[in-house]
Amino acid sequence: TTSAFRCHTPCCSMAEGENVAKPSDASPFSEADFQRVEEEEKADTTVAGWSQLKKTETAEIWRKVTTGVSVHLIKGFLKIPGVTLEDATALMTDLELRRQWDKQFYAIELLEEFEDYQVVYWASKLPGPCSDRDLVQSITVRREADKTTIIYKHATHPKAPAKKNVVRCETIFSAVVIRRDDSDPNSSRITTMFQTDFKGWLPKFVVNHVTVDAPVTWCESLMKYYRDTYSKQKGGD
């Protein structure tokens, strides 16, 4: 069955000035998490510590190196032309839709659903001699008039114990912000931010793939699925 992430707001079109619903007491998320995402999204990449890893017509990938921190923050600025904020949000947050286009994961499983968040299991196959990687995350969504914020936190769950020959990653910080494009209301801009400890040994080419190439491939896969399948199912052709 189709399952969309729970969110803190009942719909995308809130009245101006309306208070945003707060997470429940049981939620692992707080206002501080949303504040940090906003700060990281706005962080100036021209200052010391940031370096650009990749630039294409529709994507920029940056890395933030912090002294004493071995796992770096990766930030991507992605353009999604012709895909509205609402459609981009659906493709990101509806697990059934996500399985259709996000082939970087061979498993995307809903483990448990709460009022304000979900617990989801992800598994990804890596090339060559590397062990597969998996992770369990608590995920929450906040929809506002002109943006959607998705936050991912490391989690554990009895339905997803560690597996033999699969290395469990740790989410240090991860978030996605989808915004309506200021110059075109029928297009979107996505900021991805992730700081993930992949654990174990990985050769440099695999590290480059999962940190630099994967966000671009992910963006291209989303747009292709929207163009070839999703828009037609909606009667967009």
Side-chain angles (χ1 to χ4, degrees):
T1 58
T2 298
S3 179
F5 294 124
R6 297 287 184 178
C7 62
H8 296 306
T9 52
C11 63
C12 294
S13 54
M14 295 191 307
E16 186 175 354
E18 182 178 344
N19 290 332
V20 175
K22 301 299 188 295
S24 67
D25 291 340
S27 171
F29 301 93
S30 69
E31 285 302 309
D33 294 312
F34 288 95
Q35 291 169 7
R36 182 186 177 189
V37 170
E38 186 174 357
E39 291 169 0
E40 293 288 1
E41 184 192 18
K42 293 178 178 178
D44 186 359
T45 54
T46 64
V47 301
W50 286 97
S51 59
Q52 190 176 75
L53 304 178
K54 191 180 186 75
K55 184 174 182 179
T56 70
E57 187 177 342
T58 58
E60 290 184 20
I61 309 298
W62 293 78
R63 177 176 60 202
K64 181 183 181 182
V65 176
T66 303
T67 302
V69 178
S70 60
V71 180
H72 305 312
L73 173 66
I74 305 296
K75 181 156 69 170
F77 299 105
L78 311 172
K79 297 178 182 178
I80 314 292
V83 183
T84 65
L85 166 65
E86 291 75 19
D87 285 340
T89 297
L91 290 167
M92 281 292 300
T93 61
D94 186 306
L95 291 183
E96 187 59 40
L97 288 175
R98 187 72 179 259
R99 293 186 191 100
Q100 299 304 310
W101 65 265
D102 193 347
K103 301 306 181 181
Q104 294 184 92
F105 298 100
Y106 63 78
I108 302 176
E109 300 174 11
L110 175 63
L111 300 176
E112 194 165 2
E113 187 166 19
F114 299 91
E115 180 182 0
D116 296 329
Y117 69 101
Q118 291 179 321
V119 182
V120 177
Y121 172 79
W122 312 78
S124 179
K125 187 170 184 60
L126 295 186
C130 304
S131 299
D132 289 357
R133 288 326 195 249
D134 68 1
L135 66 163
V136 178
Q137 294 175 321
S138 294
I139 308 172
T140 193
V141 179
R142 174 174 289 177
R143 291 174 171 87
E144 299 176 67
D146 291 312
K147 72 173 181 179
T148 298
T149 303
I150 310 168
I151 304 178
Y152 307 80
K153 280 193 171 185
H154 183 74
T156 59
H157 197 279
K159 290 183 180 179
K163 296 183 178 181
K164 186 178 181 180
N165 299 324
V166 179
V167 177
R168 179 64 49 91
C169 300
E170 179 182 355
T171 301
I172 299 171
F173 174 73
S174 185
V176 172
V177 180
I178 311 170
R179 292 184 178 274
R180 200 182 308 280
D181 194 320
D182 294 334
S183 61
D184 179 7
N186 292 315
S187 298
S188 305
R189 294 180 293 108
I190 297 181
T191 304
T192 62
M193 296 159 278
F194 70 90
Q195 192 174 10
T196 303
D197 188 344
F198 292 99
K199 303 292 186 179
W201 173 83
L202 289 177
K204 187 175 181 180
F205 82 93
V206 175
V207 174
N208 287 338
H209 169 72
V210 297
T211 59
V212 180
D213 297 329
V216 178
T217 302
W218 172 86
C219 180
E220 292 171 348
S221 297
L222 184 153
M223 288 191 291
K224 184 178 188 304
Y225 178 76
Y226 177 84
R227 182 180 63 249
D228 295 347
T229 304
Y230 189 68
S231 63
K232 294 178 181 178
Q233 290 175 346
K234 290 185 60 183
D237 254 25

